[in-house]
Each structure stands twice: as structure tokens, then as C-alpha cells.
Amino acid sequence: MKRTYIESHIFKAFSKLNGIIPQDEAGIILSGLVFIKLYSLAAWEKLKELNGYSINLYIHDFFINENLPFNRIYDFEGLDSELLKALIIILDEADISIRRDVLGEIYNFCKSDDNRKIYGEHYTPYNVVKLLLNALDIKEDDILLDPCAGTGRMLMVVKDTLPFKNITFIGQEKNPIAWTLAQMSALLYDNNLKTGSSPQDALQQILDISANHVMMNPPFNFLISQPVFFHNGLDIGVDGQVEVAALLGFTWIQLALHYIKQNGDAAVILPQTSLSMQRKEDVAARQMLIENKYIEGIICLPRGIFPSTRIKPCLWILSKKEKNSFYIMD
């Protein structure tokens, strides 16, 4: 695979950690170091001067003094100082700029396939994010919600793409690592991003009003072992309770419909199996969406557009606007 200049250095640094640090942990370490380089040139220059265990202590204190939550997910005090120095030298050579979701890219690059499959986490390619964005009618002063924000990539693409300056971004993320990286990326990008005081808290603490738009890429085929209850009054014919993983995709759709205002819209990525599964609950869910005229359109995407999975995805475009038909694109 052809690598950009920054990726070649990340790969080199990752190789230094291979066999010493667990693969997913390596992504956290490298993301933290790159953040320091981007956030404070003075702090990075100081790091380059230090040697021995003073490097570890300086990084530990840096995140505390900057009031950043990074030490909650990884504390550099326990990392071998010689290895840490070698990583700093490698990353110092990289032409790292604040572009796109650099912290998320690093974390995603190092993520193990096993971990990715367990949690159904497949980071959204930028061309797919822009497709989601183009499906929404975003205006100045709108509120945009991503209930599966990850490292905040979608919201960053929106900020970089749209000319509006006063959009409020709200992100919810269960994974504490991704949640932390989203907060740190928001500092680099100067995003008006609200994620709550801890993972899972954004919706409860912040979103007591409706959003104009919802865009999300929920976990693919993430299994659930407990019932899911609906509180939004949308009847899908299963008494408001779902006990099977097969219907979880429609649970995400109901979440989106719950939070968007009247005339609001949503764009949700689901596996294409959501279009064809024949369980009575799945059929009832699709019937509910059609009868209530929630569907604007469905776009089927090709297999392989997500590099980390062979699942064929599709984009559900939903709204609470008046309409008499919807389209399907393959």
C-alpha cells in the first residue's frame, strides 16, 4: 500500500512498538505523542531535549497541566524511556500537520482486526462521510448530532467542508479511548464539539433539545445480550422491546428519528442486510418507516468501500419532511 509521508513515519514508529506493546495500545501512544507535537511546539521542543525518565514525567504532567483526559486512557510513566525517546525522534521527522482526523487515523491504523470485529468499529472513509454530508440540508446555526462519534471524524469533515461558522456539533461515544481522542482533536480543530463530561453522557447532559440533523456510522453487526427498549413512541410491532441483534440497526434508525426536529433529517450507515432480512421484526420496522414516510432515499454502496470490512453497506437517508415517495440507488 502506498503511504503518505506521515504514514511512513507512523508505520516506522508502530514497528518499533511491535512485539513490545499490544497493537491497540500502540495507537494510543502514538496518538498522544502526535497531539503534543501539534498542540504545543514549545512542549515538543522540550521533549526532544529531555532524556531518561524525565521524558515520561514531562508527558504525564503535560496532560495534567493542560487539563486533558489523556492520562485516563494511557499514562506514559510506565513506558520504557529509551523506547519513548526513539518514538519522539521518528515522529519529529514526520511532516505532521493538522489535517483531517489525524489522531483518529493513527488510532485506526494501529487497531487490531480482532478488536475491530468484537466492537464492530469500522472508521468511515472520507468519501463516505462527504456522501453523508451531502445528504443533509445543513444551515447556519443548526445542531448536528453524531451518536456514534468515534474520534469525531464526521464532525471534523463537516467543519472543514461547510462555510457556516455557528454549527453546534454534539457527539456521543461509548469507547473511552475514541471519546478522549475526539475531545483532543476538537482542541486542534477549534471545533464547537460537545461530548459530555464522560463517555455516554453527551445525550443525557447536553441534548435536552432536538437536533436539526443526525449523521452516524453505528457499529456493524454489534451483538447485544439484553433487551433494547424504545422510548420514542415509534411502534414497530414488537411491544417496544427487541432481544435480537438482527434488529439493532433499526434501533439506531429510531434513535435518529427520535432526536431530529420536525423537518429535520438524518443519514445512517447500515449493512445492506437491513434491506432484506425477513424476520417479522425487520419487516415491521421497514413497514413502519415506509408508512410514516420517514425515508428520503437509500443508497447502496459497493463492497470494500470500508477497507477494514467486506460487509456491503448502505446509506439510509431519513427525514420528518412531507414526501410522497423515496428513491433507491445501487
Side-chain angles (χ1 to χ4, degrees):
M1 182 177 71
K2 183 178 180 180
R3 302 183 185 281
T4 64
Y5 188 58
I6 177 178
E7 288 172 331
S8 67
H9 286 80
I10 294 300
F11 182 77
K12 185 177 179 180
F14 176 73
S15 299
K16 277 278 185 185
L17 296 168
N18 190 30
I20 302 174
I21 300 293
Q23 184 171 337
D24 295 291
E25 190 174 314
I28 305 173
I29 294 170
L30 297 179
S31 297
L33 291 175
V34 167
F35 174 83
I36 297 174
K37 182 174 182 179
L38 292 174
Y39 185 75
S40 172
L41 182 59
W44 184 256
E45 292 298 323
K46 178 66 175 178
L47 266 182
K48 289 162 54 180
E49 298 174 359
L50 297 174
N51 289 290
Y53 194 62
S54 57
I55 300 176
N56 305 60
L57 294 177
Y58 185 85
I59 296 175
H60 172 84
D61 293 342
F62 171 84
F63 287 113
I64 291 178
N65 294 336
E66 295 296 329
N67 196 28
L68 296 169
F70 193 84
N71 284 340
R72 300 179 198 169
I73 60 172
Y74 190 83
D75 194 336
F76 279 86
E77 283 190 294
L79 188 63
D80 180 81
S81 57
E82 291 186 8
L83 176 60
L84 186 51
K85 183 69 174 183
L87 297 177
I88 292 171
I89 292 172
I90 293 171
L91 294 177
D92 187 57
E93 298 172 349
D95 182 19
I96 303 173
S97 59
I98 303 175
R99 60 176 181 85
R100 294 183 169 180
D101 176 23
V102 62
L103 302 185
E105 287 284 351
I106 295 168
Y107 176 59
N108 185 46
F109 175 80
C110 299
K111 199 171 188 65
S112 67
D113 289 339
D114 288 343
N115 194 293
R116 204 187 304 275
K117 290 177 181 177
I118 290 172
Y119 296 104
E121 293 181 349
H122 300 281
Y123 277 48
T124 317
Y126 289 101
N127 57 344
V128 178
V129 177
K130 290 191 175 181
L131 183 61
L132 285 161
L133 174 59
N134 290 334
L136 302 177
D137 184 22
I138 302 176
K139 298 181 175 64
E140 190 79 68
D141 299 320
D142 279 356
I143 298 174
L144 174 62
L145 166 66
D146 182 353
C148 311
T151 56
R153 169 176 300 184
M154 288 191 183
L155 304 179
M156 293 174 206
V157 173
V158 174
K159 178 179 172 60
D160 289 345
T161 304
L162 295 180
F164 311 128
K165 303 300 181 184
N166 296 317
I167 299 174
T168 297
F169 301 107
I170 299 176
Q172 182 188 37
E173 176 54 46
K174 181 179 180 180
N175 183 332
I177 299 171
W179 177 84
T180 300
L181 295 179
Q183 287 200 321
M184 294 167 64
S185 292
L187 289 175
L188 297 179
Y189 283 81
D190 191 26
N191 275 354
N192 182 21
L193 173 62
K194 305 179 188 301
T195 58
S197 60
S198 65
Q200 299 179 291
D201 286 342
L203 299 186
Q204 291 82 359
Q205 294 183 355
I206 298 169
L207 195 57
D208 54 357
I209 59 174
S210 297
N212 304 96
H213 317 281
V214 171
M215 61 188 301
M216 64 169 140
N217 173 22
F220 280 12
N221 292 348
F222 183 67
L223 298 178
I224 53 174
S225 57
Q226 69 276 355
V228 174
F229 296 91
F230 299 109
H231 302 289
N232 53 12
L234 298 177
D235 181 12
I236 61 173
V238 288
D239 299 324
Q241 178 174 325
V242 180
E243 295 183 351
V244 292
L247 194 54
L248 191 55
F250 291 112
T251 307
W252 291 113
I253 284 181
Q254 291 215 57
L255 181 70
L257 291 172
H258 172 72
Y259 279 112
I260 58 174
K261 298 179 179 181
Q262 192 62 36
N263 294 321
D265 52 22
V268 183
I269 299 173
L270 293 178
Q272 286 188 28
T273 51
S274 62
L275 302 174
S276 59
M277 291 193 305
Q278 292 301 308
R279 294 177 52 90
K280 64 178 181 179
E281 296 89 354
D282 304 314
V283 174
R286 291 192 293 267
Q287 181 177 349
M288 177 276 293
L289 293 171
I290 293 171
E291 291 180 349
N292 285 277
K293 299 181 179 180
Y294 287 130
I295 304 175
E296 288 272 1
I298 296 171
I299 302 175
C300 297
L301 303 176
R303 189 188 305 277
I305 197 167
F306 281 73
S308 56
T309 178
R310 296 295 295 168
I311 294 174
K312 294 178 69 174
C314 64
L315 171 58
W316 288 73
I317 304 168
L318 312 162
S319 77
K320 292 182 179 178
K321 302 174 183 177
E322 288 295 326
K323 66 186 82 67
N324 293 316
S325 62
F326 64 88
Y327 62 87
I328 298 179
M329 295 178 61
D330 189 351

